[in-house]
Amino acid sequence: MGTVPTPRRGPSRRQVLSGVAGLAATAAAVSVYARHHFAPGDAGDPHGDFRAPTGGYRFERHRTPARTVVRAADGRVLATFTDGARTALLTGPARTWSEPRTTSAVVRGNAWVRLLPDGWRPGHARTRWFREWFPKALADRSPDVLGVAFQYGDGAPDRRTAAGLRYAGKAHFGPRVPGQSLDSFHYRDEKSDFYDYLGTPWTFPDGTRKDPEKARYGDVDCSGFMRLIWGYRMGYPMHATNTAGIGLPRRAYAIATRAPGVLLIPNTGRPPADISLLQPGDLVFFAIDIGRPHGIDHCGIYLGTDDDGHPRFYSSRSRANGPTMGDLAGRARLDGDGFYAQGWRMARRL
């Protein structure tokens, strides 16, 4: 699923994630996130009887983007794999995502987002590794990308490894910027990456070492949040610069244009008119800095549509001071005339 080098001081990634895996296994059958609930009767509900099929799959090829759709014998869609992307969109137990303190919106769905070992190719469906991996992935109820993301949101409890390292829990955006008013876009500072949140040094594949800033412990900006989820927690490769490289670069604009995967929606300088290509787990990018209205400077993860049919995203935001799907200082929607909807520009599938 990808490797990440271990830091030269402090716990290794293997030590960190072995602790994470143990905690996740203990909680896999219950509602383990502050704002995540399984629907009654689903596999995540200990009283449910949901069973993922283990055979009889049908494979279909589709275009725009080129992808393989897997169906059960009864016609239900079980998974979508996009050519060139590692994102696996799987069907699983229905879940509910909400954030009552900041919004009345509720997102419900059966999408589970996981990572393939490599970018998808049509021939993968015929390989032995896929035949072994796919039934296990369909039945897997450990935290996926969306579940991990909500481990850092409003009200999320702290989670620690056996060694005491806090790897999850409510995140904030960054330190306050002196002289900025509460309603300023720059009220809280950017520049907080995943290693700042963790408070542990990190060495990248090219040997670049990054040390966390004490003032940023527990903080993560928008692109740092994506790296925390996809890179640190899910194992997607990362590097320390904004140039092209293996895996995720640092800043939002660099992830939008230089990250691996598939560019679903290019930047035309205006909000996309068609969102039909989006699926949960896709990264969405925004140009929202009033001083630089055309530059990509914010990113988040698409959740799906809420109960009122509005497409919702989840991101770490300055004025909300951390990860949110809510409407504090701007509605977290991709449609309408709101601040973020009007600033939406691009989408990418990792």
Side-chain angles (χ1 to χ4, degrees):
M1 303 300 284
T3 59
V4 179
T6 58
R8 293 177 183 168
R9 287 205 318 263
S12 69
R13 184 177 185 275
R14 177 174 294 179
Q15 290 170 324
V16 170
L17 294 187
S18 65
V20 173
L23 290 172
T26 301
V30 297
S31 175
V32 297
Y33 315 114
R35 303 302 175 200
H36 157 211
H37 305 283
F38 286 106
D42 287 320
D45 179 351
H47 304 293
D49 57 0
F50 179 90
R51 293 291 183 273
T54 57
Y57 311 127
R58 300 196 337 246
F59 298 86
E60 302 173 350
R61 291 292 293 167
H62 294 261
R63 298 179 179 177
T64 317
R67 63 198 187 277
T68 299
V69 174
V70 186
R71 295 183 182 272
D74 60 7
R76 290 176 297 151
V77 172
L78 297 176
T80 300
F81 304 106
T82 302
D83 292 7
R86 288 183 58 185
T87 300
L89 181 67
L90 306 173
T91 298
R95 295 182 292 182
T96 298
W97 309 105
S98 63
E99 194 176 303
R101 187 179 66 85
T102 65
T103 182
S104 60
V106 175
V107 175
R108 309 174 200 272
N110 59 3
W112 290 65
V113 181
R114 300 197 181 276
L115 282 181
L116 294 164
D118 198 358
W120 178 258
R121 297 192 303 273
H124 281 165
R126 297 186 295 273
T127 61
R128 177 178 177 179
W129 77 259
F130 179 79
R131 291 196 301 268
E132 294 176 349
W133 175 86
F134 186 52
K136 295 177 182 177
L138 281 178
D140 189 358
R141 297 299 169 252
S142 65
D144 69 330
V145 171
L146 301 181
V148 166
F150 274 81
Q151 289 186 353
Y152 300 92
D154 192 60
D158 286 352
R159 298 177 184 277
R160 298 179 182 272
T161 66
L165 177 71
R166 187 182 74 147
Y167 66 89
K170 169 59 182 171
H172 296 93
F173 187 84
R176 288 184 56 179
V177 178
Q180 294 290 333
S181 62
L182 181 61
D183 60 353
S184 169
F185 180 86
H186 304 287
Y187 180 68
R188 293 190 179 275
D189 195 24
E190 296 180 312
K191 305 176 185 176
S192 299
D193 205 352
F194 70 95
Y195 50 82
D196 292 304
Y197 174 88
L198 297 168
T200 188
W202 198 262
T203 302
F204 291 90
D206 65 356
T208 300
R209 176 191 169 96
K210 293 291 185 178
D211 291 308
E213 296 183 28
K214 290 183 179 180
R216 297 178 183 276
Y217 176 69
D219 296 345
V220 65
D221 65 18
C222 64
S223 53
F225 183 43
M226 295 300 102
R227 282 154 64 91
L228 180 62
I229 299 168
W230 293 91
Y232 180 72
R233 293 293 302 277
M234 305 306 293
Y236 204 97
M238 298 179 284
H239 59 277
T241 73
N242 293 309
T243 59
I246 298 174
L248 296 178
R250 171 64 182 98
R251 299 287 299 279
Y253 76 86
I255 296 174
T257 57
R258 296 169 188 154
V262 177
L263 179 63
L264 294 176
I265 301 176
N267 186 1
T268 64
R270 59 179 61 89
D274 183 7
I275 69 168
S276 61
L277 295 181
L278 289 182
Q279 66 183 30
D282 289 343
L283 301 191
V284 287
F285 301 90
F286 305 81
I288 56 173
D289 190 331
I290 295 173
R292 297 185 299 110
H294 302 296
I296 298 297
D297 51 28
H298 188 68
C299 60
I301 187 168
Y302 180 58
L303 294 177
T305 55
D306 63 27
D307 284 355
D308 293 322
H310 300 297
R312 286 263 162 187
F313 69 95
Y314 194 66
S315 70
S316 184
R317 290 159 44 179
S318 173
R319 291 179 63 187
N321 193 20
T324 183
M325 61 168 282
D327 300 325
L328 180 65
R331 294 189 296 275
R333 285 168 39 183
L334 299 178
D335 64 344
D337 57 2
F339 179 70
Y340 287 96
Q342 290 302 301
W344 181 36
R345 294 291 182 269
M346 301 175 67
R348 175 174 290 278
R349 186 167 299 159
L350 292 180

